Amino acid sequence: MTHPQPFPYPVNLTVTHCAVGTGGLESAVPSGREVTVTFAEERVVLIVLSAVQAQQLEETVQYFGWPAWPAPAVPPRNFEWKAIFDSKRRTFRGLFRMPPGDGESVALHVPPTPMTPAMWDMAQKLQSVVLCCGLSGDPEPADIGSAAQRDALNAVLVEAMID
């Protein structure tokens, strides 16, 4: 096995969380001739990889090759990518891609990124996180939410490797 290659160009990383639909019915409340239906959701850690510059946005999306994400649906599972976490420090440490066959593995190491207790619990409980791309610069949570509402993100669900 060869040593993992670094990412081909820099990306900004944002660690946050979002709700994804589980497909289950949470409640159905009748009100006169109408019924308000609420579907169940699960909070999940969301790792956003943003192109540093707007002109790199298309390259970033093509590099990852992840499908368009109609949030809040659960994105498709990807078995090549892994998100790495340090259990002693409760931090996010980076990403690793191991493609099948003879493909080049890729690693992105980041400075230890502290997780809130709630996000740490999400990662431990689900053993999965959502990776997404489709933004540039250093987006704020509101920018990420707005892009998700417009279906402007590409995403996959990956294993959270807690070490």
Side-chain angles (χ1 to χ4, degrees):
M1 182 171 117
T2 60
H3 290 288
Q5 300 299 309
F7 272 33
Y9 44 82
V11 291
N12 289 326
L13 226 92
T14 305
V15 180
T16 185
H17 57 93
C18 67
V20 294
T22 63
L25 182 65
E26 188 166 292
S27 67
V29 179
S31 176
R33 296 176 61 171
E34 294 181 7
V35 176
T36 302
V37 177
T38 304
F39 293 97
E41 294 182 328
E42 184 80 53
R43 300 298 301 176
V44 63
V45 173
L46 175 67
I47 300 171
V48 182
L49 295 107
S50 305
V52 172
Q53 298 178 6
Q55 52 269 44
Q56 294 173 318
L57 179 57
E58 190 173 319
E59 284 179 314
T60 304
V61 171
Q62 287 178 359
Y63 173 78
F64 291 112
W66 299 331
W69 179 28
V74 177
R77 174 67 91 172
N78 182 295
F79 294 97
E80 294 180 14
W81 287 95
K82 312 287 185 208
I84 312 300
F85 296 89
D86 179 341
S87 62
K88 289 182 184 151
R89 294 179 182 85
R90 293 187 169 206
T91 57
F92 169 64
R93 293 301 321 224
L95 301 173
F96 187 79
R97 177 179 178 238
M98 179 59 83
D102 294 332
E104 289 281 332
S105 59
V106 177
L108 173 65
H109 300 284
V110 299
T113 305
M115 308 266 296
T116 65
M119 287 196 299
W120 184 257
D121 291 345
M122 289 174 216
Q124 278 196 308
K125 175 184 174 190
L126 300 175
Q127 296 290 302
S128 297
V129 301
V130 173
L131 300 182
C132 78
C133 62
L135 296 169
S136 62
D138 196 9
E140 296 291 326
D143 301 325
I144 298 165
S146 175
Q149 288 177 342
R150 295 189 321 272
D151 293 339
L153 300 175
N154 298 65
V156 290
L157 185 69
V158 304
E159 180 182 357
M161 295 186 71
I162 300 174
D163 179 18

